[in-house]
């Protein structure tokens, strides 16, 4: 603390025998008495006494002492060191994007969807085959190295021109098989594509995996029906070519378990939503979550390593332990409406996109609140995805742009994830029907990004430079 300031020493005007020039005239005394006390130049009238013994008692002494004590009591005296800081020092020092390569930075290939536009896309675990589902109920398989369409499946009523759109399409995550799941209306289609790849070993493994569904008994879950379609292969052996699983609500999203046997499904309509788990090898279906837990489900995902299951509702993300059948954690996003969700390959981080232009990063080991919220788009964010191997993630928005980020996750628990924006892929898609980039996915090995736009094109961006 600072010592209190000392009082000013009395001057000549306060002397009992002041010089004549300090004394006031009659007019000055009348003006001093008529003035307001707060505007007077001097708080007292200089008076001249002939001797010291003639000085009377000083009447305002008590008031002056009291005001002095108030000044010392009410005016705190703390020495504050002024902090001098450059505003540039407050900005975190991030590495330059050129030091964080590789990442996609240039357009390499563009595909045109035959009808409408691709609402959903996915890449095979080998990275050679790309699936796209359009709003005409068609799923097209593309060969990525050559950029050519291989085959197109038509789902729904082929005689009906107003077919329902393909809402989601996913490859089986096993690299040595080739079958995919697609959702059209209230039906989940599990279709083999191995016979179009020209690989005998992949065809045999896929057929063996699909034929396991014939061994189990169909599930008797209410509102769910299983149907298998068998065809004749080149060896004239009966094989399951397609499995149809019908639901009592429209199917919106699907997610494969890492072993490829379980499929999580989100069914949703105006009456509500539900999460259904299907096991292909046993033809079993179950609804493990209550109606309250499955209200307003937007997206689902399996944990890449542990028996955890993620359910993203409109504003929260619930993490369930399927082995113990219990709720592990509830994450609060702070957004109005979640659009998509993706889980980091380590399983310790979750990335959520929202329709109110925000991207939310959760660190499951840190807190149930967002670790970082990114506002980098001017319109709603429709898609977000982590790269399976590289420290990259990307998001796509209705402003027809995709942003690529570098994200390093450390094994040290004391270090937070490093998130650096490295590239903005803008101007490649044209907005249509108030939509821009509706879906995106990564190549499983290389830093290649695939984006699907409402303009009817699919773009592939690679690390050219």
């Amino acid at each position: 603390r600072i010592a209190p300031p000392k009082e000013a020493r009395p001057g000549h005007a306060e002397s009992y025998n002041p010089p004549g020039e300090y004394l006031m005239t009659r007019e000055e005394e009348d003006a001093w008495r008529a003035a307001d006390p707060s505007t007077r130049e001097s708080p007292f009238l200089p008076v001249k006494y002939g001797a010291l013994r003639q000085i009377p008692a000083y009447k305002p002494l008590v008031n002056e002492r009291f005001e002095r004590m108030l000044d010392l009591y009410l005016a705190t005296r703390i020495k504050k060191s002024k902090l001098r800081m450059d505003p540039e020092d407050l900005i975190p020092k991030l590495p330059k994007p050129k030091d964080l390569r590789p990442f996609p930075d240039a357009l390499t290939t563009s595909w045109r969807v035959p009808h409408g536009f691709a609402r959903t896309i996915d890449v095979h675990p080998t990275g050679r085959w790309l699936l796209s589902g359009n709003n005409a109920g068609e799923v097209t398989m593309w060969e990525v190295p050559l950029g050519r369409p291989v085959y197109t499946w038509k789902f729904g009523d082929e005689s009906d021109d107003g077919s329902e759109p393909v809402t989601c399409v996913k490859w089986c995550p096993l690299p040595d098989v080739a079958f995919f799941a697609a959702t059209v209306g209230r039906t989940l289609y599990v279709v083999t594509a191995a016979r179009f790849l020209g690989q005998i070993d992949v065809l045999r493994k896929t057929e063996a995996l699909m034929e396991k569904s014939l061994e189990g008994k169909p599930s008797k879950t209410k509102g769910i029906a299983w149907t298998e379609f068998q065809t004749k292969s080149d060896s004239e052996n009966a094989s399951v070519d397609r499995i149809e699983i019908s639901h009592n609500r429209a199917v919106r999203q699907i997610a494969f378990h890492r072993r490829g046997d379980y499929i999580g499904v989100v069914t949703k309509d105006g009456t509500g939503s539900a999460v259904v788990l299907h096991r292909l090898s046993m033809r079993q279906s179950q609804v493990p979550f209550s109606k309250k837990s499955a209200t307003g489900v937007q997206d689902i995902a399996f944990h890449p390593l542990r028996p955890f299951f993620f359910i993203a509702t409109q504003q929260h993300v619930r993490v369930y332990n399927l082995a113990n059948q219990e709720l592990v954690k509830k994450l609060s996003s702070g957004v109005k409406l979640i659009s998509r969700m993706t889980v980091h390959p380590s399983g310790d981080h979750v990335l959520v996109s929202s329709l109110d232009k925000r991207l939310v990063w959760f660190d499951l080991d840190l807190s149930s609140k967002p670790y970082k919220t990114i506002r980098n788009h001017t319109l709603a964010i429709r898609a977000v995805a982590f790269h399976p191997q590289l420290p990259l993630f990307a998001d796509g928005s209705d402003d027809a742009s995709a942003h690529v980020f570098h994200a390093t996750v450390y094994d040290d628990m004391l270090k937070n994830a490093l998130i650096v924006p490295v590239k903005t892929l803008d101007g490649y898609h044209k907005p249509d029907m108030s939509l821009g980039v509706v879906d995106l996915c990564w190549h499983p090995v290389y830093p290649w990004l695939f984006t699907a736009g409402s303009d009817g094109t699919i773009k592939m961006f690679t690390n050219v430079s």
Side-chain angles (χ1 to χ4, degrees):
R1 289 181 176 272
I2 304 175
K6 296 181 180 180
E7 292 184 283
R9 294 183 178 181
H12 294 292
E14 299 176 75
S15 174
Y16 77 96
N17 188 18
E21 61 267 21
Y22 290 96
L23 299 177
M24 295 184 181
T25 61
R26 175 72 62 179
E27 292 78 7
E28 292 175 346
E29 289 183 5
D30 295 340
W32 183 87
R33 290 188 174 91
D36 187 82
S38 61
T39 60
R40 294 171 180 172
E41 295 183 359
S42 175
F44 61 91
L45 280 174
V47 181
K48 187 173 184 178
Y49 297 96
L52 187 62
R53 63 178 179 273
Q54 298 177 354
I55 302 175
Y58 187 57
K59 294 181 179 181
L61 175 65
V62 177
N63 292 337
E64 287 186 0
R65 293 298 92 194
F66 179 73
E67 291 178 359
R68 170 68 177 174
M69 296 303 296
L70 285 181
D71 293 340
L72 298 177
Y73 171 70
L74 297 178
T76 57
R77 301 174 305 279
I78 299 178
K79 186 176 181 180
K80 294 183 178 181
S81 57
K82 188 175 181 180
L83 183 61
R84 300 182 180 275
M85 181 177 293
D86 187 1
E88 297 294 334
D89 296 338
L90 300 177
I91 302 176
K93 303 298 183 183
L94 298 177
K96 297 181 179 180
K98 64 179 182 180
D99 299 332
L100 301 176
R101 294 186 182 278
F103 55 82
D105 55 4
L107 176 64
T108 303
T109 309
S110 179
W111 297 283
R112 171 66 63 174
V113 180
H115 302 95
F117 65 93
R119 301 173 64 96
T120 173
I121 57 175
D122 193 35
V123 182
H124 191 265
T126 60
R128 185 176 179 181
W129 314 100
L130 174 70
L131 285 177
S132 66
N134 60 16
N135 54 352
E138 298 176 345
V139 173
T140 303
M141 183 171 65
W142 309 81
E143 189 172 3
V144 174
L146 301 181
R148 66 179 183 92
V150 179
Y151 190 78
T152 298
W153 291 265
K154 175 68 176 179
F155 299 105
D157 189 0
E158 297 183 358
S159 61
D160 186 7
D161 295 335
S163 300
E164 295 186 80
V166 179
T167 56
C168 188
V169 62
K170 296 288 184 182
W171 280 106
C172 174
L174 301 178
D176 54 350
V177 298
F179 71 90
F180 64 90
T183 59
V184 179
R186 298 185 177 186
T187 306
L188 169 66
Y189 297 91
V190 181
V191 184
T192 175
R195 58 192 179 96
F196 301 102
L197 307 187
Q199 301 176 4
I200 301 300
D201 55 341
V202 175
L203 178 61
R204 291 175 179 174
K205 292 181 180 179
T206 304
E207 289 181 349
L209 189 61
M210 295 289 287
E211 287 173 2
K212 285 185 178 180
S213 62
L214 298 176
E215 301 175 0
K217 295 182 179 181
S219 174
K220 296 183 180 180
T221 306
K222 183 178 179 181
I224 299 175
W226 287 64
T227 306
E228 292 82 8
F229 293 88
Q230 297 184 8
T231 60
K232 292 290 185 177
S233 63
D234 296 338
S235 59
E236 295 298 328
N237 294 324
S239 63
V240 178
D241 180 69
R242 186 174 67 182
I243 301 175
E244 295 184 7
I245 309 174
S246 59
H247 304 75
N248 56 357
R249 292 189 179 97
V251 183
R252 300 300 183 186
Q253 291 291 337
I254 56 177
F256 265 100
H257 189 265
R258 66 181 184 275
R259 296 180 182 177
D261 193 21
Y262 291 92
I263 302 179
V265 175
V266 177
T267 61
K268 192 174 183 181
D269 60 7
T271 61
S273 61
V275 177
V276 185
L277 296 181
H278 301 293
R279 188 175 183 182
L280 299 179
S281 60
M282 303 297 293
R283 286 198 292 179
Q284 296 293 319
S285 302
Q286 57 178 332
V287 184
F289 305 101
S290 63
K291 293 183 178 180
K292 183 179 179 181
S293 302
T295 302
V297 177
Q298 300 295 111
D299 202 359
I300 57 175
F302 285 95
H303 194 282
L305 302 174
R306 306 173 67 182
F308 287 174
F309 191 71
F310 298 85
I311 296 180
T313 59
Q314 294 183 355
Q315 297 179 347
H316 300 87
V317 177
R318 292 185 174 93
V319 185
Y320 291 92
N321 189 326
L322 297 179
N324 299 334
Q325 299 181 2
E326 62 179 2
L327 177 65
V328 177
K329 187 170 293 188
K330 182 179 179 181
L331 309 177
S332 300
S333 64
V335 301
K336 295 181 180 179
L337 185 59
I338 293 176
S339 58
R340 296 295 297 273
M341 172 183 61
T342 181
V343 182
H344 191 268
S346 66
D348 297 331
H349 304 269
V350 177
L351 200 56
V352 169
S353 62
S354 69
L355 298 183
D356 52 351
K357 303 173 290 187
R358 285 186 283 180
L359 201 63
V360 181
W361 179 295
F362 289 101
D363 189 341
L364 300 182
D365 296 329
L366 187 63
S367 171
S368 61
K369 301 294 182 180
Y371 159 65
K372 189 176 291 292
T373 300
I374 304 172
R375 298 174 177 87
N376 58 325
H377 287 282
T378 58
L379 294 177
I381 303 177
R382 297 284 176 179
V384 61
F386 276 112
H387 194 284
Q389 297 184 13
L390 300 176
L392 295 171
F393 73 87
D395 63 352
S397 170
D398 284 344
D399 57 11
S401 67
H403 292 192
V404 182
F405 295 81
H406 176 90
T408 301
V409 176
Y410 301 97
D411 294 334
D412 188 357
M413 300 292 291
L414 299 178
K415 286 186 178 182
N416 294 326
L418 174 64
I419 304 174
V420 182
V422 292
K423 187 64 178 180
T424 299
L425 304 173
D426 193 7
Y428 298 99
H429 290 283
K430 296 181 180 179
D432 189 15
M433 298 180 295
S434 301
L435 298 174
V437 178
V438 295
D439 198 10
L440 55 81
C441 61
W442 289 96
H443 191 281
V445 179
Y446 302 114
W448 298 353
L449 179 66
F450 301 86
T451 61
S454 60
D455 56 353
T457 61
I458 302 174
K459 310 287 185 180
M460 184 178 71
F461 301 91
T462 60
N463 55 328
V464 175
S465 58

